[in-house]
Amino acid sequence: MNKILFMNFSPNKKGNTYRIGEKLLRNKDYEVLQMVDYKISQYGQVFEDDQISEVFEKIKDADTLVIGSPVYWYTVGGLLKTFIDRLYMLDEAKILKGKKLYLFAQGSAPSKDTENAITYLATRLCYLMEMELKGVVVDSSDGGKILNTMIIE
Ligand SMILES: Cc1cc2nc3c(=O)[nH]c(=O)nc-3n(C[C@H](O)[C@H](O)[C@H](O)COP(=O)(O)O)c2cc1C
């Protein structure tokens, strides 16, 4: 069975990112990981209460990751950027290999440059982590484009 994990990288547990993710995954079986509940240290700044291993524990059995992020300052939000930074040279990150990734980001009025930057980031992330990029969409906060064009298999 295809196990789907929706990772909400917004600090708002029931905000626009969550709302769009919920609609996107209607009629699907999935689990939600609220990333704001985990303390993820910045790359190179590893504190004792760092919880990245707990996140990998939650991710490991998923076949499909649906990552949702708000747009902050013309790119993905800090929670997601910090998570991605931490994957660098991290042994545990090898479990991402072979997983399918859908990544969406929404903001109040994301520019074309923002869309290009996030699309490039998702493409390179999947290439380096050997994940399969199934979709990447950047949209305004109503999520219309995400919901119309991103089909979760
Ligand atoms: C720090 C910060 C920076 C933001 N920067 C942008 C931006 O560059 N472009 C944009 O379209 N929206 C920007 N926004 C708006 C958010 O992306 C938007 O409100 C989003 O819907 C919030 O998602 P959430 O409800 O899941 O938290 C910013 C919001 C915050 C708090």
Side-chain angles (χ1 to χ4, degrees):
M1 210 186 81
N2 181 30
K3 283 189 78 172
I4 301 174
L5 182 68
F6 169 37
M7 301 175 77
N8 179 20
F9 280 90
S10 168
N12 298 311
K13 287 189 186 182
K14 299 277 155 141
N16 291 328
T17 311
Y18 181 79
R19 183 180 52 76
I20 293 167
E22 233 186 357
K23 282 190 188 163
L24 193 60
L25 290 161
R26 66 193 174 283
N27 309 325
K28 300 268 182 213
D29 276 337
Y30 66 98
E31 285 182 20
V32 181
L33 200 56
Q34 294 281 4
M35 291 302 294
V36 73
D37 287 338
Y38 293 86
K39 288 185 190 167
I40 310 293
S41 311
Q42 297 292 321
Y43 177 81
Q45 195 185 39
V46 181
F47 296 117
E48 271 178 21
D49 58 358
D50 182 67
Q51 290 179 297
I52 196 124
S53 295
E54 287 173 48
V55 171
F56 278 110
E57 204 44 48
K58 299 276 182 188
I59 290 177
K60 75 174 189 322
D61 293 331
D63 305 292
T64 298
L65 302 179
V66 178
I67 286 183
S69 172
V71 173
Y72 284 175
W73 287 97
Y74 316 103
T75 186
V76 296
L79 283 178
L80 177 54
K81 182 57 168 54
T82 297
F83 176 72
I84 293 172
D85 286 354
R86 287 293 303 279
L87 302 179
Y88 182 70
M89 304 286 276
L90 188 71
D91 233 29
E92 285 162 301
K94 287 181 183 149
I95 59 121
L96 293 174
K97 184 175 175 174
K99 294 189 193 299
K100 297 178 179 67
L101 177 68
Y102 296 83
L103 189 150
F104 73 85
Q106 54 72 36
S108 37
S111 63
K112 189 69 193 164
D113 285 342
T114 297
E115 185 182 344
N116 291 342
I118 293 175
T119 303
Y120 184 65
L121 174 65
T123 306
R124 297 309 298 172
L125 173 68
C126 285
Y127 174 74
L128 292 169
M129 291 295 136
E130 298 181 73
M131 300 174 80
E132 188 184 345
L133 185 60
K134 299 289 286 180
V136 50
V137 184
V138 179
D139 197 5
S140 52
S141 305
D142 65 12
K145 189 167 123 193
I146 296 165
L147 297 171
N148 286 329
T149 60
M150 194 171 251
I151 314 292
I152 312 287
E153 289 167 7

